[in-house]
Amino acid sequence: MSFLSKLRPSILILFSLFLSGVLWVSDFSVAALQTDVTPVSGLSLTQGVRKTVLDNGLTVLTKEVHTAPVVSVQVWYRVGSRNEQAGENGISHQLEHLMFKGTTDRPVQFGRLLSALGSQFNAFTSYDETAYFSTVQRDKLDALLTLEADRMESALIQADQLTSEKRVVISELQGYENSPGYRLNRAVMRAAFPKRAYGLPVGGTKADVKKITLEQVRNYYQTYYNPDNATLVVTGDFDTQAVLKSIQQSFGKLPKRGRGYKPIQNPKSRSTSPVASPQSPIVLKEPGSAALLQAVYPLPDVNHPDVAAIDVMDVVLTGGRSSKLYQALVESGLASSVSASAAELIEPGWYEINVTAVPGQQLSKISQVLQQCLTELQQKEVATDALNRAKTQLQAAFVLNNQDITSLATQLGYSQTVSGDYLYTKRYLEAIAEVSAADVQRVAKTYLNPTQQTIGFFEPTLPDGKPGEKSASSGPIVENFSPGQPVDPDELAKYLPAAKSTSVSTKQPLPEQFIFKNGLQVLLLPDRSVPTVNLSGHIQAGSVFDTNQKAGLANLVASNLMNGTQTKDALTLAKTLEDRGSSLEFLATREGVSISGNGLSANLSVLIDTLADVVQNANFPQAQLELSRQRALTNLKAQLDDPRGLGRRVFQQAIYPDNHPFHSFPTEQSLKSITRDNLVRFYQEHYRPDTMTIALVGDFEPSQVRILLNKAFGEWKAEGNPPTLNLVSVSLPDKTEQLNPVIPGKAEDVTYIGYNSISRKDPRYYSALVLNEILGGDTLSSRLGTEVRDRQGLTYGIYSAFAAGINPGPFLIQMQTAPGDTHKAIASAVALLEQLREKGIAEAELNAAKRSITNSYPVELANPSNVADVILSNAIYGLSPAEIREYPKRIETVTIAQVQQVIQELIHPDKLVIVTAGPGA
């Protein structure tokens, strides 16, 4: 499970799900270029919502959204780390983990039950709330309601489960300890709020988690997991009356427990939260890669009338490239990044500013420039264009971040739980439209008071960012370890609530595909459900075309595209998009440059014109190149200081030989050697219409979009044939090899296990997907998760994957472990591979895996942004546009014989590369 440090009502969070993968809405309009910003109505978020309160006190919010055959069920409990007493920090988070361990009537891992339904699911703990959410096909709705009602009343909290899950939670916490930013935040928050629960980590401290008793957790559950302390949110494709009847049958019978529970009301005082007396900066001198600054200021609670103005102030300061702090700190070369967030909670919260320094820059200087910017905002009203830009960005974010029912349910659940009213969003958006320049100046004076500031510096003691030595070994890993038997899906099925037998087959619309004369490939798929457009693109200009001597070149080219063209400088390009609340980003990956963009449908032409301009007319200013090089060097140091980043680099380089492009990674030397001429030459060679694919999904008329695209790209010419690669074949190692790169000061190991495997077009791909679902596709329900995480409690997260692309990519297992548990966890994983190879899989496992994949597929396609990514991927892999419709059928036709054959051909437990990055012995 994961916990979130903040949930904000203004810019909604896309949860990164470790189990499956998931995540606002109708007729919004934003006039971004006028002197006054058109108010954005919150009615499309709240319109049609029905609020029902059951006799037992459970608040129910339902909203029908008939855009896809899926439903989202979320249960929000009004309890979080704010409710914890001294000595029990982390108990809310610990209970969240235990809520997946089963119930009295269903004593099985709930992750397996949810996975069997094809659900995309997870849970999180925050300061004020703990929430559980699942999104499934609509015929699984009643089953989800039954499961959530069951664990609200009858969670099975036992001693052995607590012991095992404590190890998992501690592994999670220790993983956060690997991050210097986490350690700095913990120190700053403790100093800012020394007498309040908000000052302690949401996930808890290792010392407190170790001390939590079974009686404490059971009492906490009995106290807070009550119907009258919860909100049930259901959004999606259903009939409200029928669903309310089902809810009454499942949740209505639950009694109020009320064991010492006292509803917590918002503090009567609207004053800001008390903080420690002004002090010198908190300074942490510890191993790390980059110097960090964090500043915290007290804020009022979520229902305070200043919240809207505070959030506009936040965007003025840090909302994009045109923002004040970005211009003052990043564009000046002092910092590689700056961000901020406003935590507006049940009790008075805080405003937090985070800065990562460029190597060689002093944090004291950054702090001085930061304070100058804040003082300027306090003394001078923000310009009208900057004010309107910030308001537009906030308003557009509500549309763009609410394109699917999971996100919509999250917003409703958050508003009801934290503000006390699901209509909060409507009032908030109306308040945003009314914020004036004087309001922004006033709240800056009120809340960015230097005498109330708590500031912290992280000064790395390994400023060169170089990891320690690597040790290598080879030989047998398994030490008489015998894994348990795989979970029998047929045994699991008896605990699964029956799903309705109604048909949910909906014919997935196919994209219109065409190719311009110059070779540009385009896919268009109209979706009128939301007034947005989602752009996903690909250019064959990835790091496979780097050389070892110029490693990092492809990424520098991509990161400099928005730094200026023949007619627009970087700031003009940024404002062109930010004035409309739109975004456009480029990221170089191994096999290509990934393009992602979105915006309101009314601004599609601006999005297309900006894309066309930068891919055809980028001019790579030298000054901007130097700034981006500094950021790349900072990122490199961070990667080498992160067990995940360093581990993956060493793993990849151990698999692929020196002359293979997948072996190449940037170094300080290679990044410093790249010249502007190198960028221009790479750009001219690789940025071509015949190597570019664009997918657009959203609210548009295809014929009109074709005209826009033809005008923007039709004159773009390509000379000769595009560059090609002939990759050398990669063989498996003769025997297992182990590497152990050391990073001083870390608390957790990260391990990668695997070797080179298959490409996306390999005929075995679908069988490999089914196999992977069984082996490690889901942290809670797979064989790896069941054995290494659930039974032994050795890791917070473990998964496997076939990283299949245009070219063959690695098969890998990744896990995070305490250093003392690493060897046993590796031995367990290898033994599971041997078990798989020796005994194969059961027919019931095959069928359960196929159902899980095919049932979750419609949930993925319920988000227009995901659809754009899917149709783009299919195109660049050379698959038919019909693949988006045929994919479930291809999974369904996989046979057990095919999977058994793939096991023999693709699973090699005696030929592994094993890399563990961490603190060392």
Side-chain angles (χ1 to χ4, degrees), residues 225-278:
Y225 277 54
N226 282 291
D228 57 348
N229 195 42
T231 296
L232 169 66
V233 186
V234 185
T235 56
D237 192 17
F238 58 82
D239 175 75
T240 299
Q241 288 304 119
V243 164
L244 288 175
K245 182 178 179 180
S246 296
I247 291 171
Q248 185 62 47
Q249 292 171 347
S250 53
F251 284 89
K253 63 184 180 182
L254 304 186
K256 292 183 182 179
R257 284 194 291 264
R259 286 187 48 185
Y261 166 65
K262 295 180 180 179
I264 299 175
Q265 305 298 328
N266 285 356
K268 292 181 180 179
S269 171
R270 287 291 179 91
S271 64
T272 56
S273 146
V275 295
S277 300

Side-chain angles (χ1 to χ4, degrees), residues 287-409:
S289 61
L292 309 174
L293 176 151
Q294 183 175 77
V296 167
Y297 304 84
L299 288 185
D301 64 77
V302 69
N303 284 308
H304 194 282
D306 282 346
V307 161
I310 290 169
D311 285 357
V312 173
M313 175 195 75
D314 174 33
V315 181
V316 168
L317 286 172
T318 63
R321 189 166 191 165
S322 65
S323 64
K324 283 184 175 293
L325 292 184
Y326 190 97
Q327 288 292 311
L329 295 174
V330 180
E331 292 288 358
S332 68
L334 290 173
S336 65
S337 67
V338 59
S339 62
S341 60
E344 292 136 349
L345 308 171
I346 291 177
E347 296 179 11
W350 62 92
Y351 186 61
E352 174 183 314
I353 301 173
N354 293 281
V355 185
T356 301
V358 163
Q361 297 293 345
Q362 297 299 311
L363 292 174
S364 57
K365 172 64 174 177
I366 292 174
S367 176
Q368 180 183 359
V369 174
L370 170 63
Q371 186 55 54
Q372 289 171 353
C373 288
L374 302 185
T375 300
E376 180 183 344
L377 189 62
Q378 293 167 336
Q379 294 177 348
K380 182 181 178 182
E381 285 191 0
V382 61
T384 301
D385 61 339
L387 174 70
N388 288 341
R389 187 181 307 122
K391 293 162 72 170
T392 297
Q393 287 179 274
L394 278 172
Q395 294 172 327
F398 268 86
V399 189
L400 296 168
N401 294 334
N402 280 279
Q403 295 188 76
D404 67 286
I405 62 164
T406 302
S407 307
L408 177 56

Side-chain angles (χ1 to χ4, degrees), residues 46-371:
T46 58
Q47 191 173 33
V49 174
R50 179 166 174 177
K51 179 180 178 180
T52 307
V53 180
L54 305 188
D55 290 343
N56 58 14
L58 178 69
T59 298
V60 179
L61 302 178
T62 55
K63 179 176 172 67
E64 296 183 26
V65 183
H66 302 287
T67 56
V70 296
V71 292
S72 186
V73 173
Q74 302 188 7
V75 181
W76 290 65
Y77 295 95
R78 203 166 191 252
V79 58
S81 61
R82 176 180 67 97
N83 304 87
E84 296 168 357
Q85 303 301 313
E88 62 175 21
N89 180 220
I91 192 171
S92 303
H93 179 225
Q94 183 70 74
L95 176 56
E96 176 217 315
H97 277 244
L98 291 168
M99 289 291 285
F100 282 85
K101 289 295 191 178
T103 66
T104 304
D105 293 336
R106 294 179 175 86
V108 293
Q109 167 58 255
F110 258 50
R112 297 189 198 109
L113 296 175
L114 295 168
S115 182
L117 294 175
S119 173
Q120 294 186 343
F121 67 96
N122 205 346
F124 71 86
T125 302
S126 191
Y127 294 99
D128 294 334
E129 71 280 351
T130 307
Y132 303 81
F133 48 99
S134 298
T135 303
V136 295
Q137 288 189 111
R138 64 187 177 210
D139 61 325
K140 312 297 192 306
L141 173 55
D142 286 351
L144 268 187
L145 294 172
T146 299
L147 291 177
E148 290 296 353
D150 190 15
R151 63 175 171 178
M152 179 180 284
E153 182 183 24
S154 306
L156 196 60
I157 303 170
Q158 297 180 328
D160 58 339
Q161 296 172 336
L162 178 59
T163 299
S164 173
E165 209 62 25
K166 272 187 180 183
R167 294 185 70 177
V168 172
V169 168
I170 289 172
S171 173
E172 180 182 357
L173 298 179
Q174 293 295 97
Y176 299 135
E177 292 289 335
N178 282 348
S179 166
Y182 175 84
R183 303 199 300 272
L184 178 62
N185 175 262
R186 181 178 57 198
V188 171
M189 291 297 289
R190 282 177 173 171
F193 306 105
K195 298 180 181 180
R196 297 182 56 205
Y198 282 166
L200 295 172
V202 172
T205 62
K206 183 177 179 180
D208 276 7
V209 169
K210 280 185 172 181
K211 294 186 297 184
I212 291 173
T213 67
L214 183 64
E215 181 181 12
Q216 282 178 303
V217 178
R218 285 176 171 173
N219 286 340
Y220 206 78
Y221 171 68
Q222 291 291 330
T223 300
Y224 292 109
Y225 277 54
N226 282 291
D228 57 348
N229 195 42
T231 296
L232 169 66
V233 186
V234 185
T235 56
D237 192 17
F238 58 82
D239 175 75
T240 299
Q241 288 304 119
V243 164
L244 288 175
K245 182 178 179 180
S246 296
I247 291 171
Q248 185 62 47
Q249 292 171 347
S250 53
F251 284 89
K253 63 184 180 182
L254 304 186
K256 292 183 182 179
R257 284 194 291 264
R259 286 187 48 185
Y261 166 65
K262 295 180 180 179
I264 299 175
Q265 305 298 328
N266 285 356
K268 292 181 180 179
S269 171
R270 287 291 179 91
S271 64
T272 56
S273 146
V275 295
S277 300
Q279 54 184 308
S280 300
I282 299 159
V283 179
L284 297 186
K285 294 186 177 183
E286 299 175 358
S289 61
L292 309 174
L293 176 151
Q294 183 175 77
V296 167
Y297 304 84
L299 288 185
D301 64 77
V302 69
N303 284 308
H304 194 282
D306 282 346
V307 161
I310 290 169
D311 285 357
V312 173
M313 175 195 75
D314 174 33
V315 181
V316 168
L317 286 172
T318 63
R321 189 166 191 165
S322 65
S323 64
K324 283 184 175 293
L325 292 184
Y326 190 97
Q327 288 292 311
L329 295 174
V330 180
E331 292 288 358
S332 68
L334 290 173
S336 65
S337 67
V338 59
S339 62
S341 60
E344 292 136 349
L345 308 171
I346 291 177
E347 296 179 11
W350 62 92
Y351 186 61
E352 174 183 314
I353 301 173
N354 293 281
V355 185
T356 301
V358 163
Q361 297 293 345
Q362 297 299 311
L363 292 174
S364 57
K365 172 64 174 177
I366 292 174
S367 176
Q368 180 183 359
V369 174
L370 170 63
Q371 186 55 54

Side-chain angles (χ1 to χ4, degrees), residues 550-615:
K550 299 294 181 182
L553 174 58
N555 191 59
L556 275 180
V557 173
S559 64
N560 274 272
L561 291 176
M562 295 293 291
N563 281 339
T565 67
Q566 295 173 10
T567 57
K568 295 182 177 72
D569 62 15
L571 186 56
T572 302
L573 285 170
K575 288 180 177 180
T576 298
L577 295 171
E578 292 169 9
D579 280 346
R580 296 160 175 82
S582 301
S583 68
L584 182 64
E585 298 178 350
F586 300 84
L587 176 67
T589 62
R590 279 285 167 198
E591 296 188 315
V593 171
S594 173
I595 307 168
S596 60
N598 63 24
L600 303 180
S601 52
N603 297 318
L604 175 57
S605 62
V606 175
L607 195 61
I608 290 175
D609 289 345
T610 304
L611 172 62
D613 192 16
V614 299
V615 299

Side-chain angles (χ1 to χ4, degrees), residues 25 39 94 194 351 397 419 422 430 440 451 478 530 547 606 652 821 827 888:
V25 284
Q94 183 70 74
Y351 186 61
S419 77
Y422 76 91
E430 291 170 349
V440 173
T451 66
V478 180
V530 193
T547 62
V606 175
Q652 195 98 357
D821 291 335

